[in-house]
């Protein structure tokens, strides 16, 4: 395993320690819980707090999105594992400015359970909690069962919109509604070209044979909808766009935001090759890209592959997306 | 080769095309030369222009540093190959605001030759050119022969400082002096854990055996000073810091800027593990980190590994480093 690691058991703590040192102008550790990263702008008195959290190994997600006008506090889990209920609860407490807290997270069993428990824990402190569960991964369940879909890179747009709405002073119900609207407007798909290895395990937890690719793969190597021969970048980009847009069914003239994220070990230039083709495909459909993000925004250790997220925009989402923000990753 | 590519011959053009689409708020292609990326803020009438350029495959370098108060125009080469003299000349023309142009680039034979030729070409247009050649890679030559050293990730600090000085309206000689001071204050080292493959070649152009690492490796796989057994992240971080600081010989109390860049396929969390240990080492030496950058800032396709750059700061460099900027990568 050609990796920069010490004891695998220390990897998450060391990651978080380095992260809060490198970005001390924006974030700090919760003094009460070393698995909670808090924005230096939090809590915002009288404003809704924004919390997220998830397993580690997806850096810069989730911790990189703590910051001003973004996420107020992030609960940090072990590699590819949900944060504890206590960490979610401590994150909620750290984000609480007295106007309630919106917890915006991804649809995974552990996270669902622990966020629910956390909400009960902080209810005793009088903190009102609203939740939005991201489920933007098209290939993880049919459209008719969207509630079963996993949350993936669309979460970044959900956090951005929720954080912006909270920054504008909206009440909890409106922040929740805006974040829900954001994730409802997102569709994502992942394509995997190479697996990843949890350092404590020491070998890949799934395989992708050379010469093949897995379409619809999840952020932890969850099986995709099909394994097929590796295609050209343009063909892959076309496939990704088709999968996302068939689920979206947007009218021509729509404005969208696009995120192409590497999964950790994909050369940055290839993400731009994909983006070039994706934007061309959107333009051909009569769509306009209002904002594009291309880079390693939501990774899976050293997985080779990429995700595409397309968010449909209206006037409100555009304005919230454009609101100035400052976080380590955005 | 598990990669997102079409015809390898088209990779650079497609990368640049996707890049200028994704970041059209900040950059555009030179209408006269598709291998020149120009900041939307360029040229700045009456101000010194900043140009850089280099081979592709290092994204977000070099194109990602075009932007406001940064680089005005970037000449784009083939993968791991210098841009042509014509592209450097066109970049100089695009950056020229009438007060001369500083070309801030890395010490490679092709770049040296082509920048010299470009300077002669634009002299006919009456454009004054000053150059600064980055040579921050400690392991590429002894300290007594610094002029032989390669330029690596320290170039990012050189561009930032030069761009800030130009933005303040300084004359060409002062912009050149500030950029020279910045790169003189930088020391870098790279450690490679896995090789990279030029898509047109189809196999790695060098090997790193599993269980080993190459200390002092260059951005194109240039051999390091030694191959040794792969150590723990802390040991690697200590080695990198020792190599850089022995060459630096800074007094306790010094303030520094630190850049830990992945080489393309290193998980982002491991870069923070390295940074955690590096900052601890600097603190133990009585140094203060004024600014830290951790991420994929200067890559080598899908090479596994990382670089460390430490820049010594004084009041002038700190102020220039802190000047607000907007580019796709910084």
């Amino acid at each position: 395993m050609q990796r920069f690691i010490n004891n695998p058991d220390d990897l998450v703590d060391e990651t978080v320690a380095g992260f809060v040192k490198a970005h001390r102008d924006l974030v700090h550790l919760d003094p009460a819980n070393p698995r909670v990263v808090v924005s230096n702008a939090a809590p915002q008195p009288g404003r809704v707090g924004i919390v997220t959290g998830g397993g580690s190994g997806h850096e810069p997600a989730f911790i990189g999105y703590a910051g001003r006008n973004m996420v107020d506090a992030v609960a940090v889990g072990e590699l590819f594992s949900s944060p504890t209920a206590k960490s979610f609860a401590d994150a909620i407490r750290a984000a609480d400015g007295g106007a309630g807290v919106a917890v915006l997270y991804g649809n995974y069993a552990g996270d669902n359970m622990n966020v629910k428990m956390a909400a009960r824990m902080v209810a005793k402190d009088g903190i009102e909690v609203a939740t939005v569960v991201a489920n933007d991964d098209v290939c993880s369940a049919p459209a008719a069962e969207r509630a079963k879909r996993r949350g993936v890179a669309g979460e970044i747009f959900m956090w951005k919109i929720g954080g912006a709405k909270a920054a504008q002073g909206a009440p909890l119900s409106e922040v929740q509604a805006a974040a829900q609207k954001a994730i409802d407007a997102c569709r994502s798909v992942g394509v995997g070209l190479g697996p990843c290895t949890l350092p404590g395990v020491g070998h890949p937890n799934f395989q992708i044979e050379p010469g093949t690719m897995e379409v619809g793969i999840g952020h932890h190597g969850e099986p995709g909808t099909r394994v097929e021969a590796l295609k050209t970048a343009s063909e892959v980009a076309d496939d990704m766009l088709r999968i996302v847009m068939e689920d979206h069914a947007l009218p021509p003239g729509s404005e969208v935001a696009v995120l192409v994220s590497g999964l950790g070990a994909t050369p940055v230039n290839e993400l731009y090759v994909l983006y070039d083709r994706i934007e061309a495909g959107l333009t051909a459909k009569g769509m306009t890209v209002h904002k594009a993000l291309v880079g390693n925004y939501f990774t899976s250790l050293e997985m080779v592959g990429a995700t595409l997220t397309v968010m449909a925009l209206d006037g409100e989402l555009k304005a919230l997306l454009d609101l100035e923000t400052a976080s380590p990753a955005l």
Side-chain angles (χ1 to χ4, degrees), chain A:
Chain A
M1 206 175 42
Q2 296 296 93
R3 303 275 284 274
F4 293 119
I5 49 165
N6 296 306
N7 184 335
D9 292 344
D10 298 332
L11 180 53
V12 173
D13 286 335
E14 292 171 348
T15 298
V16 173
F19 177 82
V20 297
K21 282 180 185 172
H23 304 293
R24 56 166 62 89
D25 54 325
L26 291 168
V27 298
H28 61 276
L29 268 189
D30 185 346
N33 186 334
R35 289 299 176 92
V36 174
V37 171
V38 184
S39 163
N40 291 349
Q44 316 169 71
R47 296 208 169 157
V48 171
I50 304 289
V51 161
T52 191
S56 294
H58 302 297
E59 288 71 20
F62 296 81
I63 49 179
Y65 299 94
R68 188 160 40 81
N69 295 355
M70 276 289 288
V71 176
D72 291 301
V74 179
V76 178
E78 291 296 321
L79 284 179
F80 289 4
S81 299
S82 174
T84 62
K86 179 175 187 309
S87 290
F88 272 118
D90 286 339
I92 293 167
R93 290 183 186 107
D96 177 42
V101 174
V103 184
L104 314 178
Y105 68 101
N107 189 26
Y108 297 91
D111 296 309
N112 281 318
M113 183 180 71
N114 290 329
V115 169
K116 277 205 186 88
M117 285 177 58
R120 284 200 296 269
M121 290 159 79
V122 301
K124 295 171 195 162
D125 307 326
I127 303 175
E128 189 184 359
V129 170
T131 61
V132 178
V133 184
N135 49 11
D136 51 309
D137 187 355
V138 167
C139 290
S140 54
E145 302 176 82
R146 176 149 184 180
K148 292 186 181 173
R149 287 181 175 174
R150 296 183 294 258
V152 283
E155 295 184 44
I156 295 167
F157 288 133
M158 174 180 69
W159 302 326
K160 177 72 188 76
I161 298 298
K165 193 78 181 177
Q168 290 181 341
L172 182 58
S173 61
E174 290 181 22
V175 172
Q176 180 187 32
Q180 185 70 56
K181 180 176 170 181
I183 201 67
D184 287 349
C186 284
R187 300 290 187 287
S188 300
V189 63
V191 172
L193 270 55
C196 60
T197 297
L198 293 164
V201 177
H203 57 80
N205 54 336
F206 61 101
Q207 294 292 339
I208 297 174
E209 292 302 318
T212 71
M213 62 179 185
E214 186 144 350
V215 178
I217 198 165
H219 263 301
H220 314 91
E222 295 93 337
T225 44
R226 61 178 187 271
V227 174
E228 56 184 279
L230 181 57
K231 296 179 177 176
T232 67
S234 290
E235 290 168 335
V236 174
D238 290 349
D239 283 356
M240 293 175 91
L241 186 62
R242 186 181 42 73
I243 290 168
V244 158
M245 298 310 279
E246 279 181 4
D247 205 83
H248 238 324
L250 300 180
S254 299
E255 282 189 278
V256 298
V258 178
L259 165 61
V260 175
S261 179
L263 287 174
T266 303
V268 174
N269 58 347
E270 295 177 19
L271 302 176
Y272 284 112
V273 171
L274 292 175
Y275 180 75
D276 181 38
R277 182 78 176 187
I278 288 163
E279 191 186 297
L282 286 164
T283 303
K285 290 177 195 297
M287 316 259 171
T288 311
V289 178
H290 175 70
K291 187 175 189 66
L293 300 174
V294 181
N296 286 302
Y297 284 93
F298 202 128
T299 67
S300 298
L301 295 170
E302 87 291 21
M303 205 189 294
V304 183
T307 62
L308 167 65
T309 301
V310 176
M311 177 165 69
L313 297 174
D314 64 6
E316 182 193 18
L317 291 177
K318 259 173 77 171
L320 293 168
L321 192 61
D322 290 346
L323 189 79
E324 180 270 335
T325 189
S327 66
L330 199 66

Coordinates of all heavy atoms in Angstrom, one line a residue, chain A residues 121-153:
Chain A
M121 N -31.2 14.1 21.6 CA -30.2 14.5 22.7 C -30.3 16.0 22.9 O -30.3 16.5 24.0 CB -28.8 14.1 22.3 CG -28.6 12.5 22.4 SD -27.2 11.9 21.5 CE -25.8 12.3 22.6
V122 N -30.3 16.8 21.8 CA -30.2 18.3 21.9 C -31.6 18.9 22.2 O -31.7 20.0 22.6 CB -29.6 18.9 20.7 CG1 -28.2 18.4 20.4 CG2 -30.5 18.8 19.4
A123 N -32.6 18.1 22.0 CA -34.0 18.6 22.3 C -34.0 18.9 23.8 O -34.7 19.9 24.2 CB -35.0 17.5 21.9
K124 N -33.3 18.1 24.6 CA -33.3 18.4 26.0 C -32.6 19.8 26.3 O -32.9 20.3 27.4 CB -32.4 17.3 26.7 CG -33.1 15.9 26.6 CD -32.1 14.8 27.2 CE -32.6 13.5 26.7 NZ -31.6 12.4 26.8
D125 N -31.8 20.2 25.4 CA -31.1 21.5 25.6 C -32.0 22.6 25.0 O -31.6 23.8 25.0 CB -29.8 21.6 24.9 CG -28.9 20.4 25.4 OD1 -28.9 20.0 26.5 OD2 -28.1 19.9 24.5
G126 N -33.2 22.2 24.5 CA -34.1 23.2 23.9 C -33.7 23.7 22.5 O -34.1 24.7 22.0
I127 N -32.9 22.9 21.8 CA -32.4 23.2 20.5 C -33.4 22.5 19.5 O -33.5 21.3 19.4 CB -31.0 22.8 20.2 CG1 -30.0 23.4 21.2 CG2 -30.6 23.2 18.7 CD1 -28.6 23.0 21.1
E128 N -34.0 23.3 18.6 CA -34.9 22.8 17.6 C -34.0 22.4 16.4 O -33.1 23.1 15.9 CB -35.9 23.9 17.1 CG -37.0 23.3 16.2 CD -37.9 24.4 15.7 OE1 -37.7 25.6 16.1 OE2 -38.8 24.1 15.0
V129 N -34.3 21.2 15.9 CA -33.5 20.6 14.8 C -34.5 20.3 13.6 O -35.5 19.7 13.8 CB -32.8 19.3 15.2 CG1 -32.2 18.6 14.0 CG2 -31.7 19.7 16.2
A130 N -34.0 20.7 12.4 CA -34.7 20.3 11.2 C -33.7 19.5 10.4 O -32.5 19.9 10.4 CB -35.2 21.5 10.4
T131 N -34.1 18.6 9.6 CA -33.1 17.8 8.8 C -33.5 17.8 7.3 O -34.7 17.9 7.0 CB -33.1 16.3 9.3 OG1 -34.4 15.7 9.1 CG2 -32.6 16.2 10.7
V132 N -32.5 17.7 6.5 CA -32.7 17.4 5.1 C -31.7 16.3 4.7 O -30.5 16.3 5.1 CB -32.4 18.6 4.2 CG1 -32.6 18.3 2.7 CG2 -33.3 19.8 4.6
V133 N -32.2 15.3 4.1 CA -31.5 14.1 3.7 C -31.2 14.1 2.2 O -32.1 14.0 1.4 CB -32.2 12.8 4.1 CG1 -31.3 11.6 3.9 CG2 -32.6 12.9 5.6
A134 N -29.9 14.2 1.9 CA -29.5 14.2 0.5 C -29.6 12.8 -0.1 O -29.3 11.8 0.5 CB -28.1 14.7 0.4
N135 N -30.2 12.8 -1.3 CA -30.4 11.5 -2.1 C -30.4 11.8 -3.6 O -31.3 11.5 -4.3 CB -31.8 11.0 -1.7 CG -32.9 12.0 -1.8 OD1 -32.7 13.1 -2.3 ND2 -34.1 11.7 -1.3
D136 N -29.2 12.3 -3.9 CA -29.0 12.8 -5.3 C -28.4 11.7 -6.2 O -28.3 12.0 -7.4 CB -28.1 14.0 -5.3 CG -26.8 13.9 -4.6 OD1 -26.9 13.5 -3.4 OD2 -25.8 14.2 -5.1
D137 N -28.0 10.6 -5.7 CA -27.3 9.5 -6.5 C -28.3 8.7 -7.3 O -28.9 7.8 -6.8 CB -26.5 8.6 -5.6 CG -25.6 7.7 -6.3 OD1 -25.6 7.7 -7.6 OD2 -24.8 7.0 -5.7
V138 N -28.4 9.1 -8.6 CA -29.4 8.5 -9.5 C -29.4 7.0 -9.5 O -30.5 6.4 -9.6 CB -29.3 9.1 -10.9 CG1 -30.1 8.4 -11.9 CG2 -29.6 10.6 -10.9
C139 N -28.2 6.4 -9.6 CA -28.1 5.0 -9.9 C -28.4 4.1 -8.6 O -28.3 2.9 -8.7 CB -26.8 4.7 -10.5 SG -26.6 5.3 -12.1
S140 N -28.6 4.7 -7.5 CA -28.7 3.9 -6.3 C -30.1 3.4 -6.0 O -30.3 2.6 -5.1 CB -28.1 4.7 -5.1 OG -28.7 6.0 -4.9
A141 N -31.1 3.9 -6.7 CA -32.5 3.5 -6.6 C -33.3 4.1 -7.8 O -32.9 5.2 -8.3 CB -33.1 3.8 -5.3
P142 N -34.4 3.5 -8.2 CA -35.2 4.1 -9.2 C -35.8 5.4 -8.8 O -35.9 5.7 -7.6 CB -36.3 3.1 -9.4 CG -35.9 1.8 -8.7 CD -34.9 2.2 -7.7
A143 N -36.2 6.2 -9.8 CA -36.7 7.5 -9.5 C -37.9 7.5 -8.6 O -38.1 8.4 -7.8 CB -37.1 8.2 -10.9
A144 N -38.7 6.4 -8.8 CA -39.9 6.3 -8.0 C -39.6 6.1 -6.5 O -40.5 6.2 -5.6 CB -40.8 5.2 -8.5
E145 N -38.4 5.7 -6.2 CA -38.0 5.4 -4.9 C -36.8 6.3 -4.5 O -35.8 5.9 -3.9 CB -37.6 4.0 -4.7 CG -38.7 3.0 -5.1 CD -38.2 1.5 -5.0 OE1 -38.2 1.0 -3.9 OE2 -37.8 1.0 -6.0
R146 N -37.0 7.6 -4.8 CA -35.9 8.6 -4.5 C -35.4 8.6 -3.1 O -34.2 8.8 -2.8 CB -36.3 10.0 -5.0 CG -35.2 11.0 -4.7 CD -35.0 12.1 -5.6 NE -33.8 12.9 -5.1 CZ -33.3 14.0 -5.6 NH1 -33.9 14.5 -6.7 NH2 -32.2 14.5 -5.1
A147 N -36.4 8.3 -2.2 CA -36.0 8.4 -0.7 C -35.0 7.3 -0.4 O -34.4 7.3 0.7 CB -37.3 8.2 0.1
K148 N -34.9 6.3 -1.3 CA -33.9 5.2 -1.0 C -32.5 5.6 -1.6 O -31.5 4.9 -1.3 CB -34.3 3.9 -1.6 CG -35.6 3.3 -1.0 CD -35.8 1.9 -1.6 CE -37.1 1.3 -0.9 NZ -37.5 0.1 -1.6
R149 N -32.4 6.6 -2.4 CA -31.1 6.9 -3.0 C -30.1 7.5 -2.0 O -30.5 8.2 -1.1 CB -31.4 8.0 -4.1 CG -32.0 7.4 -5.4 CD -32.2 8.4 -6.4 NE -32.8 7.8 -7.7 CZ -33.1 8.5 -8.7 NH1 -33.0 9.8 -8.7 NH2 -33.6 7.9 -9.8
R150 N -28.9 7.2 -2.3 CA -27.8 7.7 -1.5 C -27.5 9.2 -1.7 O -27.8 9.7 -2.8 CB -26.5 7.0 -1.8 CG -26.5 5.5 -1.5 CD -25.2 4.9 -1.7 NE -24.8 4.9 -3.1 CZ -24.9 3.8 -3.9 NH1 -25.4 2.7 -3.5 NH2 -24.6 3.9 -5.2
G151 N -26.9 9.9 -0.8 CA -26.5 11.2 -1.0 C -25.0 11.2 -1.4 O -24.2 10.5 -0.8
V152 N -24.7 12.0 -2.4 CA -23.3 12.1 -2.8 C -22.9 13.5 -3.0 O -23.3 14.4 -2.2 CB -23.0 11.2 -4.1 CG1 -23.0 9.7 -3.7 CG2 -24.1 11.3 -5.2
A153 N -22.2 13.9 -4.1 CA -21.6 15.2 -4.2 C -22.6 16.3 -4.3 O -22.2 17.5 -4.0 CB -20.7 15.2 -5.4

